[in-house]
Amino acid sequence: MEEECLSLNEIFFHYITTKMPYVAMKYAMTLDGKIASFSGDSKWVTGEKAREHTHFLRKKYRGILVGIGTVLADDPMLNVRVEGWKSPVRIVCDSKLRIPLGSQIVKSAEKYRTIVAYAEQKNAEEKIKILHTMGVETIYCPDEKNQIDLKKLMADLGNRGIDSILLEGGGTLNDSALRAGIVKEVQAFVAPKLFGGVAGKTPVEGIGVELPSEAVELKYTDICQIGEDIRIKCQVCDKKQEESCLQES
């Protein structure tokens, strides 16, 4: 019953053996796979009960990760709005350090621990100084294309004691996280709605895979109804599990 035992505390076992955070990708979408309408409006895809459950997830995970696009579009707080519950460490992937100093995340950094990961140093020194004075921590972790190296970022966050991360990114960051191989779990909240439209945003963007055989393989671990919405929970199959996942699917 090794699999059952590991599932009781997957975060601890993953972190203690890899020293990397356990990353769970979470998103809300319509039944036709849209996370926003063609105008970009996403309030609200799912119902109130599902949105309340999001605060439980933010309490469960040590950190919450988003991209700069989410910050610029929604100006979120990314905290837990339930009295007595601790908020996660807020982490923003921001290659070009575009985060506004007047954003809610920056203004509340002294209250809620906040980390901004960046990849371009040009003209960044002054802004970094200001961010530090406002309580924001920064991590420099570029890849060869001057984008955030997500594997390096995870290693750095693991060294800082962050054992788990709830990824609430948009389609671009979700695609990058999957390609980097850092995602261990997917939680999809599916609403009984249809947005339609070729321009509507989807949970995972990028160029996608060329062939169905190249898909990221998942394994269902739980399906339940929350309010009017359905939550589907899956584990991402690694190379060792790929054959068994394919057989079970």
Side-chain angles (χ1 to χ4, degrees):
M1 299 181 70
E2 179 184 6
E3 186 175 340
E4 289 84 352
C5 292
L6 290 174
S7 68
L8 292 175
N9 200 346
E10 65 262 358
I11 290 174
F12 173 78
F13 288 119
H14 175 79
Y15 181 67
I16 208 69
T17 56
T18 67
K19 299 302 180 184
M20 302 272 276
Y22 180 93
V23 179
M25 176 193 294
K26 174 259 176 187
Y27 54 82
M29 69 178 186
T30 60
L31 200 56
D32 58 342
K34 306 295 183 181
I35 62 173
S37 64
F38 77 87
S39 67
D41 194 344
S42 60
K43 292 184 173 57
W44 295 103
V45 173
T46 51
E48 185 176 351
K49 291 294 184 181
R51 298 199 301 273
E52 288 175 355
H53 189 73
T54 294
H55 291 283
F56 169 77
L57 291 177
R58 290 180 181 181
K59 171 181 174 288
K60 176 182 177 180
Y61 294 91
R62 183 72 180 90
I64 181 170
L65 178 66
V66 299
I68 185 60
T70 297
V71 176
L72 295 176
D74 301 334
D75 192 22
M77 276 288 287
L78 301 178
N79 63 335
V80 174
R81 292 185 287 277
V82 178
E83 188 174 352
W85 286 11
K86 186 176 181 180
S87 291
V89 179
R90 302 172 306 176
I91 306 152
V92 180
C93 286
D94 183 9
S95 300
K96 298 181 180 179
L97 216 59
R98 294 185 291 155
I99 190 165
L101 298 177
S103 63
Q104 290 196 86
I105 284 182
V106 173
K107 291 192 295 184
S108 60
E110 292 188 344
K111 183 177 181 180
Y112 304 110
R113 187 180 177 191
T114 304
I115 299 172
V116 174
Y118 69 103
E120 292 189 16
Q121 289 184 311
K122 185 178 180 181
N123 302 321
E125 185 176 350
E126 186 60 32
K127 188 165 187 178
I128 289 172
K129 287 181 180 179
I130 297 173
L131 288 171
H132 288 177
T133 62
M134 299 179 74
V136 178
E137 302 172 39
T138 56
I139 297 175
Y140 177 61
C141 53
D143 62 13
E144 65 280 357
K145 297 180 180 179
N146 276 339
Q147 299 295 317
I148 302 295
D149 188 317
L150 289 173
K151 285 187 176 180
K152 288 181 181 178
L153 177 60
M154 292 303 110
D156 195 309
L157 294 173
N159 289 334
R160 295 172 188 241
I162 298 174
D163 64 357
S164 56
I165 289 175
L166 182 64
L167 172 58
E168 287 196 24
T172 300
L173 182 57
N174 287 347
D175 173 66
S176 297
L178 288 167
R179 290 184 180 280
I182 66 170
V183 179
K184 302 303 174 184
E185 178 182 306
V186 176
Q187 293 202 32
F189 290 76
V190 184
K193 302 175 183 177
L194 301 172
F195 281 0
V198 68
K201 291 186 175 295
T202 58
V204 182
E205 297 184 343
I207 62 172
V209 299
E210 182 178 1
L211 301 171
S213 60
E214 298 172 349
V216 176
E217 297 288 344
L218 306 174
K219 179 182 179 182
Y220 291 121
T221 56
D222 184 59
I223 300 175
C224 66
Q225 185 167 350
I226 301 178
E228 295 299 316
D229 307 306
I230 300 294
R231 187 199 67 178
I232 303 172
K233 184 177 177 182
C234 301
Q235 287 289 324
V236 177
C237 300
D238 60 26
K239 295 296 184 181
K240 295 178 182 179
Q241 295 172 317
E242 187 172 351
E243 184 177 343
S244 63
C245 286
L246 286 170
Q247 291 173 349
E248 291 182 26
S249 63

